[in-house]
Amino acid sequence: MLHSMTTEPEQQIGVGTQDAFQRLWTPHRMAYIQGENKPTGPGADDGCPFCTIPSKSDEDGLVIARGGSVYAVLNLYPYNGGHLMVVPYRHVADYTDLDPAETAELAEFTKRAMVALRAASGAHGFNIGMNQGTVAGAGIAAHLHQHVVPRWGGDTNFMPVVGHTKVLPQLLADTRKMLADAWPAGV
C-alpha cells in the first residue's frame, strides 16, 4: 500500500538505532573536523600551528602566558569559553617524550590555568587531559598539548542542541586578555 503524502515521518532519536546515549551537537567545530589549521605531516616544519604560535605576538597567537618550556594558548575551536591548552615549545608527540623540566612546567602551568580561570570567570570545575595519538582523538597528534576546559553548572544548555549554536559570550581576543590579566605569577 502506498503512503499518503500527509503521513508524518518516523521520528528518530539521535542517529540510527536508538541507544542509551544522549548527543550534544557542536556544529561550530566543523572547521576543526574538516582539517582547518591542521598540519600536513608529523614534523615541526609541516605546518604545525603549535610550533608557529610562539613566533606570533600574544594577541595574534592567542597566547595567555609563556614559560621557559611551555606556553598557554586559547583553543581556536573551544568546547567552552576559556578552553585553553598548555603546550611545550618543543615539537614532541608523546607525554613520555617530555624531559623532567618540561613535565614540571606543564603541570605548573595547568595549575596556573585553573587559578586564572577561577579568578577571571568563576569556573566551577574543569576537564583536563591529553589525547595521545590520532586514534585517541588528538586533532594535532604530532605536537603534545594538554586541554584545560573550564566548566560551570548548567553550561551545557539548549542552544547547541536545539539551536545548533554554541554560545561563547566573548571574542577569543577578549578572553585571552582576561585570562592573561588573571594569570598568576606562581602557585
Side-chain angles (χ1 to χ4, degrees), residues 7-29:
T7 304
E8 291 291 322
E10 180 180 337
Q11 184 178 11
Q12 292 201 7
I13 299 173
V15 178
T17 306
Q18 187 173 353
D19 57 29
F21 293 102
Q22 294 183 16
R23 287 158 177 86
L24 178 63
W25 304 111
T26 54
H28 68 284
R29 294 183 52 79

Side-chain angles (χ1 to χ4, degrees), residues 75-145:
N75 191 319
L76 278 178
Y77 309 105
Y79 288 116
N80 247 350
H83 177 176
L84 63 88
M85 296 171 291
V86 180
V87 185
Y89 291 112
R90 194 163 60 97
H91 187 86
V92 297
D94 197 85
Y95 185 68
T96 62
D97 293 334
L98 294 177
D99 65 33
E102 291 167 325
T103 303
E105 192 171 45
L106 189 135
E108 179 66 23
F109 262 53
T110 300
K111 288 170 58 175
R112 290 183 192 187
M114 294 172 68
V115 170
L117 284 160
R118 283 185 179 128
S121 66
H124 298 153
F126 299 92
N127 293 118
I128 296 173
M130 300 176 203
N131 299 320
Q132 294 283 270
T134 303
V135 298
I140 301 175
H143 197 132
L144 177 78
H145 53 285

Side-chain angles (χ1 to χ4, degrees), residues 37-53 91 140 142-143:
N37 297 321
K38 284 192 181 178
T40 57
D45 296 329
D46 292 328
C48 176
F50 296 135
C51 288
T52 60
I53 288 170
H91 187 86
I140 301 175
H143 197 132

